[in-house]
Amino acid sequence: MAKVFITGADGFTGRYLAKELMRDGHEVCGLARKEDPSAAWRMRVCDLLDREALTQTLAIEKPDAVVHLAAIAFVGHGDVGEVYQTNVVGTRNLLEALTKSGCKPQSVLLASSANVYGNTDREVIDESVKPEPANDYAISKLAMEFVARLWEGKLPITIARPFNYTGVGQSSHFLLPKIVSHFRDKAPVLELGNLHVIRDFSDVRTVVSAYSRLLTGKFAGRTFNVCSGVGYSLLDIIAIMRGLTVHHPEIRVNFDYVRANEVHKLIGSNNELRTAIGALQPIPLRETLRWMLEHPTET
């Protein structure tokens, strides 16, 4: 049993990871944006940009392992300054606070993003592909990775680059929850952006299982893609949803949703991850979408 400290413990991924770790017998605590009396794990309200409070919190908790999930995770987030402050400065503050507080964690897992790869001509992207970030979110995540290098000799840092993933409870401003809600509500029209972008989608439950296993190994200094290795276009997603619901909305392309710096194809290789932690047992996307369709709120 270990004490695991999660930043963003009240977020979409954080809630699933906390439950996964607790099922495995770990003690979980973490940072949250606000009080949540219903949480089954200990929450501490603290801003990543408050360096003193962050150091004090970690000095009290002294975790055995840390998972850093807190971030602005939406590519289309309107406040660019907030993206960089949270994703870059917030990460730096966390790493500084870990060393200043006297913590000696056995593992520090930082969640970056596959968006750092940008547009590439590689059919399947492995960790050897040179990052070419194409938007501010991706740049902030790559900058976070460079910041982490400053602490390589002081902390056992592992970096995860998750590709797209989804599940029950993800905010409706993300693409797949939006599509699922339209089909669930039998909406007559569904407006989307570029229908031909291709993404590698995983189930959030598969992703947190991978995170949990990365925490328990000796992977300091390494970077891992977390992905399914299978690509789907929006047209593929729509076809799956039509099969699940027998609903056929009119699909309209809204050019306001088409980003000038859109990454067109993002499919990952998980060979490094599987070699490190073993078989992933991914949940098929059709089953993830069915789960989301049948459970409008988190289960």
Side-chain angles (χ1 to χ4, degrees), residues 73-216:
F74 184 50
V75 175
H77 188 76
D79 189 335
V80 173
E82 187 178 12
V83 170
Y84 285 103
Q85 279 288 306
T86 301
N87 295 356
V88 183
V89 179
T91 300
R92 191 190 188 287
N93 288 349
L94 173 67
L95 298 176
E96 180 183 66
L98 280 168
T99 55
K100 283 189 172 182
S101 63
C103 291
K104 302 291 183 183
Q106 299 166 13
S107 179
V108 178
L109 180 64
L110 303 183
S112 181
S113 170
N115 270 273
V116 300
Y117 293 116
N119 286 301
T120 175
D121 57 4
R122 292 279 288 271
E123 281 295 311
V124 178
I125 301 168
D126 63 24
E127 293 84 351
S128 69
V129 172
K130 180 183 176 183
E132 296 285 354
N135 53 58
D136 285 296
Y137 167 72
I139 292 170
S140 76
K141 282 297 190 176
L142 185 58
M144 181 203 78
E145 293 187 19
F146 279 107
V147 164
R149 293 183 184 180
L150 300 175
W151 274 267
E152 279 184 346
K154 302 174 185 177
L155 295 168
I157 297 172
T158 304
I159 292 174
R161 288 176 177 167
F163 284 62
N164 294 69
Y165 61 92
T166 191
V168 175
Q170 189 176 36
S171 171
S172 60
H173 66 242
F174 286 91
L175 182 60
L176 292 199
K178 172 185 173 178
I179 292 174
V180 170
S181 68
H182 274 67
F183 274 89
R184 183 192 300 114
D185 298 340
K186 305 294 184 183
V189 176
L190 174 57
E191 291 191 347
L192 297 169
N194 188 343
L195 299 177
H196 302 288
V197 294
I198 296 174
R199 293 290 184 268
D200 182 326
F201 289 104
S202 293
D203 188 298
V204 64
R205 295 166 293 184
T206 302
V207 171
V208 299
S209 175
Y211 285 177
S212 175
R213 291 153 71 183
L214 283 172
L215 274 180
T216 59

Side-chain angles (χ1 to χ4, degrees), residues 8-37:
D10 58 339
F12 168 59
T13 312
R15 294 192 299 271
Y16 282 98
L17 179 60
K19 292 174 183 177
E20 174 85 7
L21 292 169
M22 290 174 70
R23 280 193 295 268
D24 289 342
H26 299 293
E27 179 184 353
V28 175
C29 56
L31 292 187
R33 291 164 292 188
K34 59 184 179 180
E35 296 284 352
D36 183 3

